[in-house]
Amino acid sequence: MGFFNRIKLQTPESVELEFTLAGIGSRAYALLIDYIVWALIWLVFLIAWGFLSIQITDIIESWVGSSSGAQLWLFSIMLLIAFALNVGYFVFFETLWQGQTPGKRYVKIRAIRDDGTPVRLQQATLRALLRPVDDLLFLGVFFIIFGKREKRLGDWVAGTLVVEEERAIVSANFPLSEEAQNLADWLQTEADLSRLLPDNFAVIREYLQRREGMTPEARYELSRRLARQIKDIIALEALPEKVSANVFLESVYLAYQQQSSGY
């Protein structure tokens, strides 16, 4: 296995993307950070729960004279909350941050689906539920080190990969219209370009590079489909009138480059 294990994926738009798989080192570092954050959350919960349970127990004892039944109920509730904290931490962040937890975001790695698209609630839940199994006897480490795709058990079941977060910034080697440049400036203020992931950018770039070799029908259909998806991703309500899908994709390409380069 090479030091950097790269993998090529085929997106639903039939665009081939290449990623660098996150190795065991970066994944372990991210998990360590997550466990520290998770432990702090647990500490706050235990302090708050201890204070609350004492107050509830005292109130019940003053009413009925005995709190044995209440203590059993409180313990059961605490177990349910503990399960929610254990699983919910990873599910919440990976769903909200498109495959990233605080640890993954700091280390700059991200979980994606096998087709290169961001993980959703279903994949994040499966990954979180199987994490204790992966942690047991270091089974996850074994699967990651000796697996070609560096997947732990949770990744195999959920159909996910963990990859390096790469900045897809390259110079354009295809023509871009002047209209796209003007629209790119407008997108900087009207769209939420931070929601555009590097692989979304890579799909746009691959289309713009290959569009000249497509038939007019295929170019028209693919550009419209991509434009609709990107418009939803960047939370853009409406486009200026008479803007074609091609010009829109060009403008998103330019706007993303400008924002990522700090222009």
Side-chain angles (χ1 to χ4, degrees), residues 30-47:
L31 187 60
L32 175 62
I33 294 172
D34 281 324
Y35 277 161
I36 291 173
V37 176
W38 177 75
L40 291 175
I41 294 174
W42 255 103
L43 180 62
V44 172
F45 164 71
L46 289 176
I47 293 174

Side-chain angles (χ1 to χ4, degrees), residues 22-89:
I24 185 66
S26 57
R27 293 183 70 165
Y29 186 24
L31 187 60
L32 175 62
I33 294 172
D34 281 324
Y35 277 161
I36 291 173
V37 176
W38 177 75
L40 291 175
I41 294 174
W42 255 103
L43 180 62
V44 172
F45 164 71
L46 289 176
I47 293 174
W49 183 259
F51 176 78
L52 181 64
S53 60
I54 291 174
Q55 300 301 316
I56 293 175
T57 301
D58 289 342
I59 292 173
I60 293 176
E61 283 184 346
S62 66
W63 285 356
V64 298
S66 175
S67 62
S68 57
Q71 290 176 353
L72 182 61
W73 273 104
L74 288 172
F75 180 72
S76 301
I77 294 171
M78 188 188 73
L79 289 180
L80 289 175
I81 296 176
F83 175 79
L85 281 176
N86 289 344
V87 176
Y89 173 87

